[in-house]
Amino acid sequence: MLAGCAGRFDGFAPLPAAVQRPHPQAVPHPARGGGLLDRLDPARSVLPLALAGALVDYRAGVRHGFRDAYDAGFNSVIADPGQPQAAVRAAAEGSRLLVLSDDAAAAEGDPLLLDSRAALLVPVAAPADLGRLAAAVRAAPERPVWALLRAHADPAGGIAMPDPQTARLLAFGALAAGAGGLVWQGEDNYVARNAGLLGIAAAPSLDYGIRTDPASGRQPYRATPADVAASRRLWDAVAQLNRQIARLAPMLLRPDDPQAYTAGIPAAAAGAAPALRLLLKPWDGDADPRRLLLAVNPGDDAVDIRIGFGRAVSRVERWQDDDPEPPETDPARGLLRDRLPPRGVRLYRITY
């Protein structure tokens, strides 16, 4: 920040509710081979990025029957019930994915199964649901809480497919609220269509041509070309989110950074305080001078925000962000000022 411009950082009213500390001591999460962990173990810790309602794709061969999910960055699946377990296991093993199981005994010691019985799934379909998820995290700090994110449309019910921006907002909003995993519901296949739903897939079809309950008289939903485009578009967006969040998982599974910091918005806007959410995590352990700052703006209006770290910073940079306008900083005073876009997410790498 150039000398003489310090006034750009003045005139902000405190917004303490924006600072989130869902896991000040530990982040409970599942371990490969069974059980729960409260400390990061690079060899066993898992932050689930799961695709729900997954069917084994026999066209790819049973041992590669979840290959599309793996290629899209999912690390686990919730297999649609009723499939042969031998086929599900073979598909998981060949596709290098985990299967979320509610059978704790079966999951114990099994490298392919991830115990989901202890986790609490909270549906998150709109920004208003983030408060309910945060409350669930506060109520059970020793229990993994996963966000169940809608990745499907219900044409008969008038519910459209979420757009990629909404998917990104809800995914990162859930993580900022304390979610230790994301479950996307769900895959587009003949089971979903027979239920009247349109899911997401790498190569969705107009009509899968399979009726699972002909006696009901209910016709499977036949997609339009626009439906297929929306399904594939959201699949690609979720795949991008999966890869980004997987890179952040070692940070997100660590306790919140103990460093006190503050958030503020322009005093003139303080009367209608936005529901911003900020989360500060160690980048690579407590000894690392870098921090990850996650900032989420669920509102429909852009918000100017000032963040004070309580100590000098040597560098502030947006991470994986293509906005050409950099944030403003006052390094000596440890201040960051930026504009959060409507329904937007910012990731920062802070170096002290």
Side-chain angles (χ1 to χ4, degrees):
M1 187 72 188
L2 297 176
C5 295
R8 291 277 296 157
F9 292 88
D10 298 334
F12 282 75
L15 190 65
V19 175
Q20 309 293 296
R21 289 193 175 90
H23 298 294
Q25 303 298 327
V27 183
H29 58 276
R32 295 176 186 271
L36 294 178
L37 297 172
D38 59 9
R39 291 183 176 273
L40 179 70
D41 180 338
R44 299 183 64 214
S45 293
V46 180
L47 189 156
L49 301 171
L51 176 64
L55 293 181
V56 176
D57 184 356
Y58 291 91
R59 295 172 301 175
V62 173
R63 284 188 57 81
H64 299 284
F66 294 134
R67 178 59 61 179
D68 282 349
Y70 175 80
D71 289 344
F74 291 100
N75 60 20
S76 49
V77 297
I78 298 178
D80 196 86
Q83 301 178 89
Q85 289 303 302
V88 171
R89 287 185 59 84
E93 183 178 14
S95 302
R96 294 189 285 177
L97 290 178
L98 298 167
V99 177
L100 270 59
S101 170
D102 59 5
D103 186 340
E108 187 66 34
D110 192 322
L112 291 181
L113 300 183
L114 202 63
D115 181 10
S116 63
R117 187 177 60 110
L120 175 64
L121 270 79
V122 178
V124 176
D129 296 329
L130 296 174
R132 186 159 51 89
L133 187 147
V137 173
R138 291 192 298 269
E142 76 291 343
R143 187 178 185 185
V145 176
W146 301 342
L148 183 61
L149 301 168
R150 183 169 62 83
H152 64 268
D154 180 357
I159 301 175
M161 181 77 71
D163 61 81
Q165 182 185 19
T166 298
R168 177 176 172 81
L169 168 67
L170 296 182
F172 278 107
L175 294 170
L182 305 178
V183 177
W184 297 92
Q185 191 181 39
E187 184 181 76
D188 190 58
N189 48 48
Y190 69 84
V191 175
R193 294 294 183 83
N194 275 272
L197 304 177
L198 172 75
I200 57 172
S205 176
L206 292 173
D207 187 346
Y208 291 96
I210 300 175
R211 293 185 64 185
T212 54
D213 187 14
S216 70
R218 181 176 183 176
Q219 295 298 315
Y221 179 70
R222 177 177 173 80
T224 67
D227 288 333
V228 167
S231 171
R232 177 59 191 267
R233 187 162 52 246
L234 186 55
W235 174 273
D236 291 342
V238 171
Q240 184 177 7
L241 284 170
N242 285 339
R243 297 183 185 104
Q244 191 174 41
I245 294 168
R247 171 67 181 86
L248 299 174
M251 309 165 208
L252 295 170
L253 292 179
R254 289 189 171 94
D256 307 328
D257 190 81
Q259 173 73 35
Y261 67 103
T262 61
I265 58 173
L276 304 181
R277 294 183 180 276
L278 305 175
L279 185 67
L280 189 66
K281 292 281 188 176
W283 189 270
D284 191 20
D286 294 336
D288 193 316
R290 299 171 299 173
R291 298 293 184 268
L292 166 70
L293 176 66
L294 168 58
V296 179
N297 174 21
D300 294 323
D301 298 312
V303 177
D304 288 322
I305 187 170
R306 185 191 69 180
I307 302 166
F309 297 99
R311 58 186 291 189
V313 298
S314 63
R315 187 175 184 183
V316 175
E317 55 188 320
R318 293 203 195 102
W319 189 72
Q320 293 196 352
D321 193 311
D322 56 7
D323 190 331
E325 189 68 27
E328 298 179 80
T329 60
D330 184 336
R333 292 199 291 168
L335 297 176
L336 159 68
R337 174 176 172 158
D338 204 0
R339 169 159 282 207
L340 303 183
R343 299 171 67 83
V345 175
R346 296 278 202 208
L347 299 168
Y348 304 91
R349 182 159 50 192
I350 314 296
T351 304
Y352 292 135

